[in-house]
Amino acid sequence: MNAGRMNPGLWIGHSRYVAKACQIIAGLTDTMDEEKAYILGLMHDIGRRVGIVSERHLIEGYKYCKSKGWEDTAKICITHSFMIQDTKTSIGKWDVPEEEYIFMRDFVASARYDDYDLLVQLGDNLALATGFCLLEKRFVDTTRRYGVNEYTVARWNRVFEIKEHFEKLIGTSVYQVLPGVKENTFDEKKEP
C-alpha cells in the first residue's frame, strides 16, 4: 500500500482489520456488498497517508478519494468519525483551516448515512492494529489517546446501537463472527 510507505504506522494494520470486519459482517446480510464494504473499511483512514495528523486525516482522505472519483469512499473518510452527526462530538483536534472545518461541519450535518457509513463506524470500533476486539477495549484505547469530552458516553452508546442494528441484520452477535475478538489482548505500545 503506497499510503503505508508515505506514513508507516499502526493505522495500516487497523485499517486492514476494519476492512475485514466490514467484509465479514456485510457478507452475512442480505442487502450489502461485501467487496464494497471491504474497500470502504480499508480506505476509511486513507487521509493518514499525509503524516501524523488528527482530524485533518478526514478531509485529506476526502480530497484524495474525490480526486480519484471515488464518491462513496470520500464520504466514508469523513463520516466514519461521526456516529453522532455533529462535528462538535469529535474526539480529535481540529488541525485544519477554518474553511475546511466549516465544510466538514456542513457535510456531516447534511450527510445521509446508509448502512455502509454505519458499518465502517462499527468496524472502526471493533479493530485494533493487531486484530478484532470488544467495543469496550477499543473505547478505552481511543479514550486513553484522545481523552474524554461531554460526548464520549453518547458516542459509545451510539456505537452500541449500531452494533445492535447489524446484529439484527445478521441474526447473531458480531463478536461471534469476528475471529479472535475475545482473545485479543491490548498492548499500548502497538496501537495506532
Side-chain angles (χ1 to χ4, degrees):
M1 186 193 274
N2 189 40
R5 287 189 293 277
M6 292 174 68
N7 179 27
L10 297 170
W11 70 275
I12 300 294
H14 164 72
S15 295
R16 287 183 178 135
Y17 279 104
V18 172
K20 193 65 180 165
C22 291
Q23 179 184 41
I24 290 168
I25 295 167
L28 295 171
T29 71
D30 294 330
T31 58
M32 300 182 79
D33 180 289
E34 60 188 283
E35 183 178 352
K36 177 178 179 177
Y38 180 87
I39 291 166
L40 294 174
L42 187 65
M43 298 292 287
H44 82 284
D45 270 348
I46 194 67
R48 294 199 180 280
R49 66 196 279 281
V50 301
I52 299 172
V53 294
S54 187
E55 299 301 59
R56 180 177 160 208
H57 86 280
L58 306 173
I59 194 70
E60 292 296 338
Y62 175 85
K63 291 188 293 189
Y64 175 73
C65 292
K66 280 289 272 190
S67 75
K68 300 289 189 183
W70 305 332
E71 298 295 323
D72 290 345
T73 310
K75 178 184 173 200
I76 290 289
C77 287
I78 293 178
T79 63
H80 80 270
S81 286
F82 301 103
M83 53 286 304
I84 298 172
Q85 283 188 250
D86 187 335
T87 54
K88 290 184 295 195
T89 65
S90 169
I91 61 171
K93 293 182 180 144
W94 284 104
D95 52 349
V96 298
E98 183 177 0
E99 64 272 8
E100 289 184 345
Y101 171 77
I102 291 168
F103 170 81
M104 285 194 286
R105 180 197 66 198
D106 295 345
F107 185 91
V108 168
S110 65
R112 300 197 77 202
Y113 285 17
D114 61 22
D115 276 349
Y116 291 100
D117 295 285
L118 300 179
L119 182 58
V120 174
Q121 291 168 356
L122 178 61
D124 196 19
N125 282 283
L126 289 167
L128 302 170
T130 55
F132 303 118
C133 66
L134 299 171
L135 293 177
E136 295 87 346
K137 188 176 285 192
R138 179 69 170 156
F139 293 163
V140 170
D141 166 47
T142 55
T143 300
R144 288 184 72 207
R145 288 182 286 121
Y146 295 104
V148 297
N149 64 31
E150 62 188 291
Y151 301 103
T152 300
V153 175
R155 287 172 55 93
W156 293 346
N157 287 335
R158 179 64 183 134
V159 173
F160 276 109
E161 289 171 6
I162 295 167
K163 176 181 172 282
E164 291 165 7
H165 168 72
F166 281 100
E167 289 175 339
K168 285 179 185 169
L169 289 178
I170 67 174
T172 190
S173 168
V174 297
Y175 297 143
Q176 296 301 316
V177 300
L178 300 177
V181 169
K182 293 179 181 177
E183 294 80 24
N184 193 3
T185 58
F186 181 78
D187 183 346
E188 67 185 24
K189 295 176 187 149
K190 292 186 176 181
E191 287 312 302

